[in-house]
Amino acid sequence: MGLLQRLFGNTSDKEIKRINPIIKQIESYDQAMQALSDAELAAKTDEFKRRLAEGETLDDILPEAYAVVREATDRVLHTKHFHVQLIGGVVLHQGRIAEMKTGEGKTQVALLPAYLNALEGKGVHVVTVNDYLASRDAEWMGQVHRFLGLTVGCILNDMDNDARREAYNCDITYGTNNEFGFDYLRDNMVVYKEKMVQRGLHYAIIDEVDSVLIDEARTPLIISGRSSKSTSLYQQADLLASRLKKGRVIGDQSKLAMIMQEEVQEEGDFIVDEKEKSCSLTAEGVRKAEQYFKKDNLGDPENAEILHHINTALKAHYLMARDKDYVVKDDQIIIVDEFTGRLMPGRRYSDGLHQAIEAKEKVEVKRESRTLATITFQNYFNKYEKKAGMTGTAKTEEGEFQDIYSMDVVEIPTNRPVIRKDHPDVVFKTKKEKYLAAIDDIIESHAKGQPVLVGTITIEDSELVSAMLKRRGIPHNVLNAKFHEREAEIVALAGQKGAVTIATNMAGRGTDIKLGEGVAALGGLKIIGTERHEARRIDNQLRGRSGRQGDPGESRFYISMEDDLMRIFGGDRMKNLLETMRLPEGQPISDKTLSGAIERSQKRVEENNFGIRKRLLEYDRVMNDQRELIYEQRQQVLEGQNLRPTIMKMLEDVVHYYVTDMTKESEFSGDWNLQHFNDEIRRIIPFREPIVIPPEEQDKISPEDFESRILDAAIAMYEQKEEELAPPERMREIERVLMLQAVDQHWTEHIDIMDQMRQGIGLQAYGQKNPLDEYRMVSYDMFEELSMNIQEDTLKLLYHVHVAQNQEVERKEVAKDISTNRGDDQTRARKPVKRVTVKVGRNDPCPCGSGLKYKNCHGKNQG
């Protein structure tokens, strides 16, 4: 227990003491609610709405409203909220995270705050992790809301816009985090307000909040359109990658060695860094690549695309594993969600990684996409006026929830004490020994009828365990991304006598495992983990499938020193310990040092991942501010506002900019470069004749007078265009159409440029500058340029527009051929937008942004 906890006690206990008086109020209404007829109970909804309209707050009506939901749930679902579930309901209404153990009825808890907040009529979004849970909960829990007179909708992947709009217009809407996020992006790409589907982001209740806001926060949501680039370079890079020899770094790789600029010896053609999830060419690899592509210097900026394709091909071969990161199904690459083990059809890795995997697996390589709109989950969910979450495992990440989402975690006590036995880990030297020991444990439990749930991290591991059990004649079910169709059925039966179920990661999450008859006497459900996950939460989630609602159960993890977590993050001390312990094959390693080392390894990975997510958010916050301004501008257009004042302001800004640019050196008109001014201004405003200043006025005219004359002439020309395109309503619609066109075109280009700039900005650190500060400054300048380009293009289009007789003015989508995908969270080799002159060590990354070391790039011909 930490010092603060010893001094001040458990924070959650204090919060629950504060909430308990509210719970007593809710329970005090019990008899009164039971006395009401069904119609009288349902009529309470209109009564609450009236009271809110008269000035009462949600907090004022909470006790009685929760009592109504509690009674309605008892009548409709024949289950009544426990005392602890009411506590969870209050915590969720307060915009916090309720940590409730598996089997405590989180889904039913969400009924309470969903009903209360829906009374305001602004909509409540209940966010789940997959379509199955969304549709199940909308139907199952929706019965209670419908009984009380509220409407319930559900957003599913295959729904059209009309069905989505209808679902969002309901009082309570169920759906997945991906669907809510993509609908937000799509709404900000439509050209008519009527095509929008969402009606604002009021209150969100996020189920499995740690999965949504932590695990999936590193990969942004991306809507993309097809690019015109050829795909042949992917096959060429794949062929080269398959011929290159994997190498290693020889000697000291310590930070001290890097600081002292000591020469790092490398062998082979490329180095794979599993910790950083990156691949880099060695000097020999660079030479072979230059020979293969017939290039003199692979590090030159014009070869950046080739180098990027080589690095991506190497990543596809050596960091992306089939049946772990993706599966090949019907000649397509389908991503496997690393946190749930589920297939993600329709999603694609970004920045060419998906195409590189397609080339590797010899399936059709589809064209690379161009980003049209993107947002991170951090920024999307922070747009809600209020949000709350529930999960069985959040306390280990409370710091991140507070830092990024301003949400604290309250641990809700269980309805009955947890009596599950969590046995110490069993650690072996090799994977072979680990699996043999785990199989023996499964067989021993199966022989006495005790059900076993085996948790694996990858599909490949689940199939290995399955093959070993088949060889021993043990009947079992396998639940992984390849066999997800029977997910709920398999998980629900996992607690029956004699059942053996193998599941990847948290597949089946959200479905309770109930014990069959006589199973409790056999020790309950036994959990066997075949590997520790990078995050302690995921291990706790697996354990939490057993011992629900006071049931007996047990759990044990089998680990080997060859597991990825131990091999990559275990550290030298662990390896040295093993070398000194000469154990016979099959004997587990029992040492207190190991238990601590395993947890330290997990903490190290968690801290590293938190750092990545925080950096992603810091950079995306810059983009988010710009996104807000652009989307606000689009919304004004969609709302059908009269844009003429905006157009006039644009005209003033553009004329002022070019007049100021011409006159900033001298106020004397004889010094002004009128030829350059004419070239620039007439490109936007088509004055029939070049602008000249008569000789007799050259001594008299000031920059302000000159600007005023140009602006008057420009406005007169615009008024002529308005007469030409009469009636006025037609011109107003043309303004909206052309402004949307300019905004969308330049915004999509800006997203791409910002992404490239961000990939190269890290090199500013070599110039003793903070990359994030530099990114903020450069992005500000780029946004100013974006705004100017939008203004100029809008005016240019308006001055040059011609509408044929009887032609309808129609708005067009920015891109019809669009797709939604989750972005790749890995770093990418890109040419930087801005460079700095710095002193570079031979082992440092080359400042050109190639991703190569300086000695293998621009420094290879220098001593």
Side-chain angles (χ1 to χ4, degrees):
M1 184 182 287
L3 177 63
L4 289 175
Q5 275 195 330
R6 288 200 300 272
L7 289 174
F8 303 108
N10 188 298
T11 311
S12 292
D13 290 344
K14 286 189 171 186
E15 291 302 321
I16 288 165
K17 281 179 184 175
R18 285 197 191 102
I19 292 169
N20 268 328
I22 303 172
I23 307 306
K24 286 177 181 174
Q25 274 187 280
I26 297 167
E27 291 172 336
S28 70
Y29 283 103
D30 204 25
Q31 287 187 341
M33 293 301 159
Q34 288 177 26
L36 297 176
S37 67
D38 286 358
E40 288 171 331
L41 192 64
K44 281 286 182 182
T45 298
D46 288 334
E47 179 194 320
F48 292 142
K49 287 180 179 179
R50 190 192 72 249
R51 286 165 60 182
L52 287 172
E54 290 171 355
E56 287 192 60
T57 66
L58 291 179
D59 289 342
D60 293 334
I61 65 171
L62 184 150
E64 191 176 352
Y66 274 26
V68 166
V69 177
R70 191 182 189 211
E71 178 61 27
T73 307
D74 191 24
R75 295 186 192 188
V76 176
L77 303 179
H78 310 297
T79 58
K80 198 162 192 169
H81 288 86
F82 299 128
H83 182 89
V84 292
Q85 288 178 309
L86 296 175
I87 295 172
V90 173
V91 168
L92 292 178
H93 168 66
Q94 291 173 342
R96 306 159 92 179
I97 294 170
E99 182 179 276
M100 302 181 72
K101 302 299 179 194
T102 302
E104 291 296 301
K106 291 188 290 290
T107 310
Q108 188 168 311
V109 169
L111 286 170
L112 300 161
Y115 172 80
L116 177 66
N117 286 269
L119 295 172
E120 291 185 305
K122 298 176 185 176
V124 171
H125 294 171
V126 183
V127 186
T128 64
V129 291
N130 60 52
D131 276 357
Y132 163 73
L133 291 177
S135 58
R136 182 201 73 176
D137 294 350
E139 185 55 42
W140 180 28
M141 295 292 131
Q143 296 175 77
V144 177
H145 294 307
R146 293 185 191 100
F147 174 84
L148 291 171
L150 296 180
T151 54
V152 179
C154 182
I155 305 293
L156 299 174
N157 185 258
D158 56 358
M159 288 170 64
D160 62 23
N161 276 7
D162 291 337
R164 286 173 185 271
R165 194 175 301 108
E166 186 180 340
Y168 279 117
N169 283 331
C170 291
D171 295 308
I172 298 164
T173 307
Y174 287 82
T176 67
N177 48 320
N178 285 334
E179 293 305 320
F180 285 123
F182 280 129
D183 281 338
Y184 169 78
L185 289 177
R186 279 188 288 255
D187 274 359
N188 284 287
M189 293 174 68
V190 299
V191 292
Y192 288 102
K193 187 185 176 185
E194 297 73 34
K195 290 188 176 182
M196 294 177 75
V197 296
Q198 289 187 341
R199 58 174 177 135
L201 306 177
H202 173 52
Y203 176 51
I205 302 170
I206 308 167
D207 193 10
E208 309 298 2
V209 67
D210 56 319
S211 175
V212 175
L213 296 188
I214 302 289
D215 297 336
E216 300 198 40
R218 277 169 62 178
T219 47
L221 295 171
I222 296 172
I223 290 183
S224 55
R226 288 284 176 88
S227 167
S228 57
K229 287 183 183 177
S230 168
T231 59
S232 61
L233 194 53
Y234 289 104
Q235 281 100 343
Q236 294 174 46
D238 179 73
L239 185 59
L240 174 65
S242 63
R243 292 176 179 177
L244 294 177
K245 181 184 175 185
K246 184 179 178 182
R248 65 189 178 92
V249 176
I250 304 168
D252 189 12
Q253 276 184 277
S254 67
K255 287 183 180 178
L256 179 62
M258 293 174 68
I259 292 167
M260 299 302 292
Q261 298 296 321
E262 293 176 8
E263 186 73 22
V264 176
Q265 297 294 320
E266 300 166 330
E267 66 176 18
D269 299 325
F270 64 93
I271 308 295
V272 177
D273 188 333
E274 291 184 277
K275 276 188 186 179
E276 297 298 326
K277 297 184 179 177
S278 65
C279 299
S280 59
L281 291 171
T282 62
E284 181 61 18
V286 171
R287 188 190 65 75
K288 287 183 179 178
E290 288 172 345
Q291 192 176 18
Y292 180 81
F293 282 104
K294 297 180 174 58
K295 299 293 179 183
D296 293 331
N297 189 345
L298 195 61
D300 280 345
E302 59 264 28
N303 298 326
E305 187 178 9
I306 291 174
L307 181 58
H308 172 59
H309 276 72
I310 295 170
N311 287 336
T312 308
L314 289 171
K315 187 187 292 185
H317 276 269
Y318 295 97
L319 289 170
M320 306 301 293
R322 183 170 177 166
D323 289 342
K324 177 186 175 185
D325 301 298
Y326 64 89
V327 298
V328 181
K329 189 175 181 181
D330 301 327
D331 286 332
Q332 288 189 48
I333 304 299
I334 301 175
I335 297 173
V336 175
D337 188 313
E338 66 173 307
F339 299 105
T340 64
R342 293 188 177 91
L343 290 181
M344 300 169 71
R347 306 280 187 257
R348 291 178 67 81
Y349 292 116
S350 64
D351 206 47
L353 181 60
H354 210 95
Q355 286 80 358
I357 296 170
E358 287 169 335
K360 166 192 167 184
E361 297 293 351
K362 304 297 183 282
V363 300
E364 182 194 352
V365 179
K366 295 182 173 62
R367 288 189 184 276
E368 197 174 333
S369 55
R370 181 172 66 100
T371 300
L372 302 176
T374 178
I375 194 169
T376 59
F377 278 126
Q378 289 108 316
N379 275 317
Y380 172 69
F381 281 106
N382 279 337
K383 290 183 186 301
Y384 281 87
E385 294 171 33
K386 183 169 77 172
K387 57 188 175 296
M390 48 190 184
T391 180
T393 47
K395 205 67 182 174
T396 57
E397 313 289 349
E398 184 171 20
E400 184 165 352
F401 281 121
Q402 289 176 332
D403 193 13
I404 292 178
Y405 302 102
S406 302
M407 301 165 80
D408 62 338
V409 179
V410 179
E411 292 177 273
I412 310 298
T414 54
N415 187 45
R416 294 175 184 167
V418 177
I419 60 171
R420 182 186 67 243
K421 296 175 184 173
D422 294 326
H423 300 294
D425 296 344
V426 184
V427 186
F428 293 88
K429 195 171 181 180
T430 66
K431 282 188 176 183
K432 178 187 173 184
E433 296 168 87
K434 173 187 78 171
Y435 282 118
L436 288 172
I439 295 297
D440 287 343
D441 195 353
I442 294 167
I443 291 170
E444 185 182 327
S445 300
H446 178 69
K448 64 179 184 181
Q450 184 180 17
V452 181
L453 176 64
V454 186
T456 66
I457 286 184
T458 68
I459 297 170
E460 187 180 16
D461 289 344
S462 69
E463 290 177 343
L464 173 64
V465 173
S466 175
M468 293 176 81
L469 286 175
K470 277 178 186 172
R471 196 176 295 168
R472 303 285 287 271
I474 304 297
H476 59 277
N477 279 314
V478 179
L479 178 57
N480 61 32
K482 288 184 174 178
F483 308 104
H484 66 285
E485 289 85 358
R486 295 175 54 224
E487 179 174 314
E489 176 193 343
I490 291 172
V491 172
L493 295 173
Q496 300 304 305
K497 192 173 181 179
V500 176
T501 309
I502 304 168
T504 48
N505 229 329
M506 284 314 297
R509 193 172 176 176
T511 306
D512 273 348
I513 299 176
K514 294 180 181 177
L515 300 185
E517 194 175 336
V519 169
L522 298 170
L525 177 66
K526 184 169 191 172
I527 302 292
I528 291 181
T530 61
E531 194 169 336
R532 282 281 198 166
H533 195 273
E534 286 183 354
R536 288 169 293 168
R537 283 178 301 103
I538 308 294
D539 294 339
N540 292 338
Q541 286 159 10
L542 178 60
R543 277 201 174 107
R545 307 312 296 271
S546 172
R548 59 179 292 283
Q549 283 293 322
D551 286 339
E554 57 182 311
S555 71
R556 170 166 273 145
F557 279 86
Y558 286 83
I559 299 168
S560 91
M561 301 310 296
E562 294 177 343
D563 293 346
D564 286 348
L565 178 72
M566 307 305 292
R567 183 174 55 82
I568 300 170
F569 296 97
D572 294 332
R573 189 181 174 191
M574 184 89 63
K575 292 168 189 169
N576 296 335
L577 176 69
L578 278 176
E579 287 171 7
T580 58
M581 299 171 69
R582 296 182 179 178
L583 297 170
E585 187 173 329
Q587 184 175 332
I589 305 163
S590 53
D591 192 291
K592 289 182 180 178
T593 312
L594 285 175
S595 301
I598 292 166
E599 188 152 330
R600 280 196 301 275
S601 296
Q602 289 180 307
K603 282 181 179 175
R604 206 173 295 141
V605 181
E606 287 168 7
E607 287 165 5
N608 184 51
N609 288 340
F610 173 45
I612 292 170
R613 288 190 292 266
K614 193 168 182 182
R615 278 198 303 277
L616 173 73
L617 180 63
E618 285 171 344
Y619 279 96
D620 195 58
R621 272 179 181 153
V622 178
M623 189 71 171
N624 191 57
D625 293 340
Q626 299 180 2
R627 186 190 298 116
E628 291 284 320
L629 290 169
I630 291 293
Y631 285 178
E632 186 183 331
Q633 204 168 12
R634 287 190 97 262
Q635 196 60 34
Q636 289 173 3
V637 178
L638 296 181
E639 295 285 352
Q641 291 183 17
N642 181 349
L643 293 184
R644 193 179 193 281
T646 305
I647 302 298
M648 290 298 107
K649 181 69 171 64
M650 285 182 175
L651 204 50
E652 288 175 25
D653 290 346
V654 168
V655 170
H656 178 73
Y657 173 81
Y658 284 109
V659 171
T660 303
D661 185 57
M662 179 182 68
T663 62
K664 63 187 175 186
E665 299 295 334
S666 172
E667 293 199 358
F668 175 56
S669 62
D671 295 334
W672 298 346
N673 187 344
L674 280 172
Q675 183 177 339
H676 178 70
F677 176 78
N678 275 297
D679 289 344
E680 293 295 332
I681 202 75
R682 292 178 72 202
R683 179 174 54 84
I684 303 161
I685 306 166
F687 294 115
R688 288 188 181 85
E689 299 292 335
I691 295 157
V692 294
I693 301 173
E696 64 273 14
E697 293 189 27
Q698 283 191 358
D699 295 334
K700 302 173 186 176
I701 192 163
S702 67
E704 291 77 16
D705 291 338
F706 182 75
E707 181 180 325
S708 181
R709 289 187 195 182
I710 300 298
L711 185 59
D712 288 344
I715 292 172
M717 280 190 69
Y718 194 79
E719 288 170 348
Q720 285 178 9
K721 180 61 70 173
E722 287 178 311
E723 289 175 15
E724 178 191 324
L725 300 173
E729 295 76 23
R730 189 189 216 189
M731 186 62 181
R732 300 291 81 81
E733 179 61 11
I734 290 171
E735 288 168 346
R736 286 189 282 268
V737 169
L738 297 183
M739 188 165 163
L740 266 184
Q741 185 178 318
V743 167
D744 289 344
Q745 180 186 335
H746 286 289
W747 176 242
T748 53
E749 290 172 0
H750 181 73
I751 290 171
D752 192 46
I753 295 167
M754 285 279 285
D755 187 45
Q756 289 187 42
M757 189 262 289
R758 178 176 160 186
Q759 300 308 323
I761 205 76
L763 296 171
Q764 297 284 357
Y766 290 104
Q768 306 301 311
K769 295 178 182 177
N770 184 323
L772 182 59
D773 291 342
E774 290 297 303
Y775 179 76
R776 287 194 185 108
M777 287 191 291
V778 176
S779 64
Y780 176 80
D781 293 340
M782 288 169 62
F783 191 71
E784 288 286 297
E785 188 179 335
L786 165 73
S787 302
M788 192 67 182
N789 288 338
I790 289 172
Q791 289 183 343
E792 289 187 4
D793 265 22
T794 302
L795 292 173
K796 191 191 302 180
L797 290 166
L798 284 167
Y799 275 110
H800 290 84
V801 70
H802 294 282
V803 181
Q805 195 172 4
N806 299 323
Q807 181 183 342
E808 288 293 322
V809 179
E810 185 181 358
R811 305 181 198 174
K812 292 186 179 178
E813 302 280 355
V814 64
K816 289 186 178 178
D817 188 12
I818 63 172
S819 61
T820 55
N821 59 82
R822 293 294 301 282
D824 174 25
D825 70 327
Q826 310 300 332
T827 54
R828 307 179 306 239
R830 289 282 200 129
K831 172 186 169 186
V833 172
K834 234 185 175 186
R835 299 190 193 168
V836 289
T837 304
V838 294
K839 185 178 179 182
V840 184
R842 287 176 57 71
N843 294 314
D844 290 335
C846 187
C848 75
S850 64
L852 298 171
K853 288 182 179 177
Y854 180 65
K855 67 180 182 182
N856 296 335
C857 190
H858 281 84
K860 67 180 180 179
N861 296 321
Q862 298 177 27

